[in-house]
Amino acid sequence: MIHEIITQHVAPDRRDEYIQVFGEFLTKANYAGSHRIKFLASIEDPGRVILMVEWDSVEAHTRIRGTPTYNAMRELTGKYQTAKSDGGHFILHEVKS
């Protein structure tokens, strides 16, 4: 299991709408190999949003690129974003206390 983590920037007054619309789109898209979807909204910067998606593998994520559903998602999210997203794929290492 890997985690896609993306930092996104949106207009602060549209942040909640963005999270709702994007979350609904991702849920309906039901991409093969994707699992939990989480959004984190910044307290200090109301226009900053972090998206986390669990994937079976990097390949599972990259397989969706260029598909009609993926292109529609990019078009939809582009209407909200105020800057280019930054992200990557990560392996989770948990620390037990």
Side-chain angles (χ1 to χ4, degrees):
M1 188 74 59
I2 61 103
H3 294 77
E4 173 193 14
I5 300 176
I6 302 174
T7 301
Q8 302 171 319
H9 300 275
V10 299
D13 61 329
R14 298 188 74 196
R15 180 188 70 190
D16 294 341
E17 176 187 351
Y18 173 74
I19 291 170
Q20 179 180 352
V21 168
F22 194 13
E24 287 174 0
F25 187 96
L26 290 172
T27 301
K28 288 178 185 173
N30 194 28
Y31 292 121
S34 70
H35 303 284
R36 291 189 187 109
I37 300 165
K38 297 178 182 177
F39 288 92
L40 290 89
S42 174
I43 294 168
E44 292 82 10
D45 179 355
R48 190 167 152 209
V49 176
I50 294 176
L51 167 65
M52 297 189 334
V53 181
E54 290 182 12
W55 292 92
D56 289 337
S57 64
V58 173
E59 293 75 24
H61 176 221
T62 57
R63 270 195 299 269
I64 70 165
R65 292 182 179 160
T67 65
T69 304
Y70 179 83
N71 293 341
M73 176 192 70
R74 295 293 302 250
E75 185 176 330
L76 173 68
T77 58
K79 295 175 184 177
Y80 290 90
Q81 294 179 352
T82 59
K84 188 176 190 276
S85 297
D86 178 48
H89 299 99
F90 299 86
I91 298 170
L92 177 66
H93 294 272
E94 293 191 56
V95 176
K96 296 186 182 199
S97 54

